[in-house]
Amino acid sequence: MLLGLRISNVAVIEEVEVAFGAGLTVLTGETGAGKSILVDALGLLLGGRADADVIRAGCEDAAVEGVFARTPVLAARLEELGLPDLGEEVLVRRVLGRTGRGKVYVNGALVTLGVLGKLTRGAVDIAGQHEHVSLFDSGLHRVLLDKYGGLEEALAAYGREWANLREVDSRMDALGGDDAKVRERAEFLRFQLDEITRLDPESGEDVKLDAERRRLGSAQKLKRHGAEAELLVSGEAPSAVEIVGRALGLVHEGVKLDATLAPVAQSLSTALSELEEAARRLNRYVEGLESDPGRLGEVEERLDALKRLCRKHGVTLDGVLKKRGELETELGTLENRREILEELNQERKRVEERARKAALALSRARKASAGAFSQQVREGLGGLAMGKAAFEVRVTAGETLRPDGLDEVEFFFSANPGEPARPLAKVASGGEASRLLLALKRALADSDACGCYILDEADAGVSGAIADVVGRMIREVSSHRQVLCITHLPQVAAYADAHLLIKKSVKGERTVSQVLPLAAGAERTQELARMMSGVEVTREALGAAEALVRSAHRATPRARRESGPEGNSPRGRLRRTA
């Protein structure tokens, strides 16, 4: 839902800030007052294309800011796009520059126009601007039909079979292409496997060899240091063994006089034993340590070979061992390719048969839903003075299975009898688009995820009793979703939960547009009377306006009247946008 909008320096609007609530908000005013500018500005917030000409004369830049309620869909998109999540609201700001490219901010983060479009896609439907009307996007028609028909279970059943089919195809693709390529691949695998097998590495071998290489390369130095250490421990006096032995003898004498020295004697005795053991081990180490240039060469050669193998495969030695297992498995598969392929072909036929059966069931369900949906939309058009218009949902089944089944789904429409129905986006415009959108939205009210509809002059071409039907239908739709409606008909405006007057005036020899919220009662009645009688408001027009309000009041459920429109002024929130 759109909570608030602020526009600065766009066309004849100098500065406008307006809050929107739930239910139906109507925007009225004289022709040229700037009603469509609000719609155009909102289109910019949804990622629409901009022209520097929209910037108010004499200004270097223009800005449009909006506050949207944070729905689960928007929250998921914020996370998906890596954008800040501020909690209950989503703040969008777009700045247009006369001399350069503009900037876009979402919750204070600078983003591209493409990211903005992805974030807000489907959040608002603007009738008359096809690039922002999700219902006019043929790529979404199948999704809308599936939601209308409640086909989630059938779609999920097909999705499982489609996933199984793709899994079998993936296994078949892994077996390679034609026989020549398979043979080439097998030879390459054998070459790699033979290279690893000839070297026959062992896990951790490189670490052990590196330690042996360092020892062999430093044999003379190690022997010298070992011999010197042995002399210090147990060699000529005063050695460590002799010194500790003398200390132990003195302490033993002291123990005879003071038993508390016994632990010290025990510690020295242990130290003496450890030193004697260290001396023996040093002696064995030094005697067994010999230079072996031949073995050193072998170790270095083996280490170099292992390192080359690791570099070639871009892994560690343990990775090479893992690679050997993978090569053996793949080679075994390719060598038995014909038999495995035959088995997979048979499995694929079975899986494809199940998937096609599920797709046909889904297609039948779509065609049944298409008939009911088409009929419901035509009934809605009949109540909107378009009883002779044609509307149909065409479900065309193909032969090739796809992620969403076999079907192409598209909405077709013809406003005039005798004219063939054509794709929706090519034939509906202006008031026709708005009324068709209204009929579509009424049919999709229980399944459409869009939270805000913009109806730009949905009353074009209607009057009298039909206008009242239009007003009732718009009010009915607004009981499910937020609706902002630009209208010239008092019969429609009378059903509003909130009424905004777009008024043009002269300020400092410049034309400016203002948005004035009208209070219930005299202000709204006065505007409805103006819409009926023109510039001069007559007593008769005021009486008729009051009658319209009373009639709409009686037609509106009590609970809805008492709850009133929701939403507070977005002023503070808009200030924090960027």
Side-chain angles (χ1 to χ4, degrees):
M1 185 173 80
L2 178 65
L3 301 178
L5 184 68
R6 186 171 70 188
I7 306 171
S8 304
N9 300 326
V10 176
V12 295
I13 294 180
E14 182 178 33
E15 183 81 20
V16 161
E17 185 173 319
V18 59
F20 298 105
L24 173 60
T25 298
V26 298
L27 297 88
T28 64
E30 297 180 356
T31 301
K35 299 185 296 298
S36 294
I37 295 175
L38 288 176
V39 178
D40 294 341
L42 186 54
L44 294 175
L45 278 186
L46 302 177
R49 301 175 68 178
D51 193 313
D53 291 340
V54 305
I55 301 175
R56 183 172 169 80
C59 299
E60 292 302 314
D61 54 43
V64 183
E65 301 169 73
V67 181
F68 295 89
R70 175 184 170 275
T71 64
V73 172
L74 283 179
R77 290 180 182 173
L78 288 173
E79 182 177 2
E80 178 185 347
L81 297 170
L83 298 175
D85 190 338
L86 303 183
E88 298 302 316
E89 300 164 347
V90 178
L91 313 177
V92 179
R93 182 170 188 250
R94 185 170 179 185
V95 180
L96 307 177
R98 191 179 295 280
T99 58
R101 300 179 65 179
K103 296 180 179 180
V104 180
Y105 301 88
V106 174
N107 286 342
L110 184 65
V111 303
T112 64
L113 199 58
V115 168
L116 176 63
K118 291 179 181 178
L119 175 68
T120 59
R121 179 177 173 83
V124 177
D125 274 350
I126 303 179
Q129 300 184 34
H130 290 188
E131 63 271 26
H132 296 310
V133 181
S134 63
L135 288 175
F136 289 71
D137 182 351
S138 60
L140 294 177
H141 291 176
R142 180 197 56 76
V143 175
L144 293 173
L145 179 62
D146 288 348
K147 287 183 178 180
Y148 172 83
L151 305 183
E152 290 81 6
E153 187 175 340
L155 191 60
Y158 170 74
R160 289 190 292 270
E161 299 300 340
W162 168 258
N164 292 336
L165 183 61
R166 294 302 304 141
E167 193 272 335
V168 174
D169 285 340
S170 178
R171 286 158 58 193
M172 295 179 71
D173 290 342
L175 291 174
D178 57 34
D179 290 342
K181 290 183 178 179
V182 170
R183 286 194 298 271
E184 183 179 344
R185 175 64 178 172
E187 287 300 320
F188 177 67
L189 293 175
R190 289 190 190 95
F191 170 77
Q192 287 190 311
L193 188 58
D194 288 346
E195 188 177 38
I196 297 174
T197 302
R198 284 196 305 271
L199 196 57
D200 194 23
E202 297 179 359
S203 179
E205 182 184 2
D206 52 343
V207 176
K208 295 177 182 177
L209 288 174
D210 187 60
E212 185 179 358
R213 178 184 60 81
R214 290 197 302 271
R215 185 173 66 253
L216 290 171
S218 305
Q220 293 300 323
K221 186 176 182 179
L222 288 170
K223 192 168 186 176
R224 183 174 65 255
H225 288 176
E228 290 178 3
E230 183 186 1
L231 283 174
L232 290 172
V233 173
S234 62
E236 298 178 356
S239 68
V241 170
E242 181 181 353
I243 293 172
V244 174
R246 289 169 57 188
L248 179 60
L250 293 172
V251 173
H252 273 311
E253 291 296 325
V255 170
K256 296 176 182 178
L257 301 174
D258 184 359
T260 60
L261 284 173
V264 177
Q266 181 62 43
S267 297
L268 288 171
S269 178
T270 301
L272 184 60
S273 297
E274 292 290 337
L275 285 170
E276 290 172 343
E277 176 61 23
R280 288 191 291 271
R281 294 179 65 179
L282 281 170
N283 181 263
R284 289 195 298 268
Y285 177 79
V286 170
E287 289 182 354
L289 192 62
E290 297 291 342
S291 296
D292 190 346
R295 175 57 184 168
L296 178 61
E298 292 175 2
V299 169
E300 290 179 339
E301 184 178 349
R302 177 73 175 176
L303 268 175
D304 288 343
L306 291 175
K307 289 179 180 179
R308 285 196 302 271
L309 190 63
C310 290
R311 284 197 300 270
K312 183 172 184 177
H313 293 281
V315 293
T316 63
L317 187 58
D318 285 341
V320 170
L321 296 174
K322 181 180 178 182
K323 180 72 172 180
R324 178 164 62 181
E326 294 172 351
L327 292 172
E328 289 173 344
T329 300
E330 185 179 355
L331 182 58
T333 299
L334 291 182
E335 289 175 341
N336 297 286
R337 175 174 177 266
R338 293 182 182 276
E339 294 80 0
I340 297 174
L341 269 178
E342 183 59 33
E343 293 176 1
L344 286 176
N345 275 323
Q346 295 302 317
E347 182 179 355
R348 193 187 191 285
K349 289 178 182 179
R350 294 191 296 270
V351 173
E352 183 179 4
E353 184 178 356
R354 293 198 302 268
R356 192 167 294 277
K357 184 177 179 180
L360 291 173
L362 180 60
S363 184
R364 288 192 295 269
R366 281 175 176 155
K367 289 176 181 178
S369 296
F373 181 51
S374 300
Q375 179 62 30
Q376 193 170 349
V377 173
R378 286 194 293 268
E379 290 173 359
L381 290 171
L384 294 169
M386 297 180 71
K388 295 184 178 180
F391 177 84
E392 61 177 307
V393 179
R394 294 185 184 177
V395 180
T396 306
E399 291 297 325
T400 304
L401 292 172
R402 299 176 304 180
D404 52 24
L406 290 166
D407 307 313
E408 292 283 353
V409 178
E410 190 165 7
F411 298 169
F412 280 70
F413 175 75
S414 173
N416 303 306
E419 293 294 326
R422 299 174 58 199
L424 188 60
K426 296 182 179 179
V427 293
S429 60
E432 287 178 356
S434 295
R435 281 183 283 167
L436 175 57
L437 177 65
L438 184 57
L440 288 165
K441 285 298 187 182
R442 183 189 184 194
L444 291 165
D446 293 332
S447 58
D448 187 8
C450 178
C452 178
Y453 309 152
I454 310 296
L455 302 177
D456 190 356
E457 299 188 12
D459 49 38
V462 300
S463 59
I466 298 300
D468 185 68
V469 173
V470 170
R472 286 173 181 262
M473 188 176 293
I474 292 175
R475 187 214 60 195
E476 180 183 341
V477 172
S478 72
S479 66
H480 300 278
R481 300 287 188 276
Q482 181 188 45
V483 177
L484 310 181
C485 178
I486 295 176
T487 182
H488 291 286
L489 288 179
Q491 294 95 327
V492 173
Y495 284 98
D497 295 302
H499 192 145
L500 301 176
L501 173 63
I502 316 300
K503 188 175 181 180
K504 186 165 61 176
S505 60
V506 177
K507 177 182 176 182
E509 299 184 356
R510 292 290 304 275
T511 300
V512 295
S513 286
Q514 297 174 288
V515 179
L516 306 175
L518 300 183
E523 289 186 355
R524 288 189 62 186
T525 303
Q526 183 77 15
E527 172 60 10
L528 293 180
R530 182 203 63 77
M531 296 171 71
M532 290 181 175
S533 61
V535 178
E536 184 178 352
V537 177
T538 64
R539 293 180 58 186
E540 292 78 7
L542 283 171
E546 291 173 352
L548 275 179
V549 172
R550 287 194 299 271
S551 175
H553 188 76
R554 287 193 299 270
T556 302
R558 180 178 178 183
R560 181 179 172 89
R561 296 197 306 266
E562 292 178 349
S563 65
E566 301 174 2
N568 299 313
S569 172
R571 181 178 300 275
R573 298 189 292 273
L574 288 169
R575 299 297 181 197
R576 300 194 302 270
T577 300

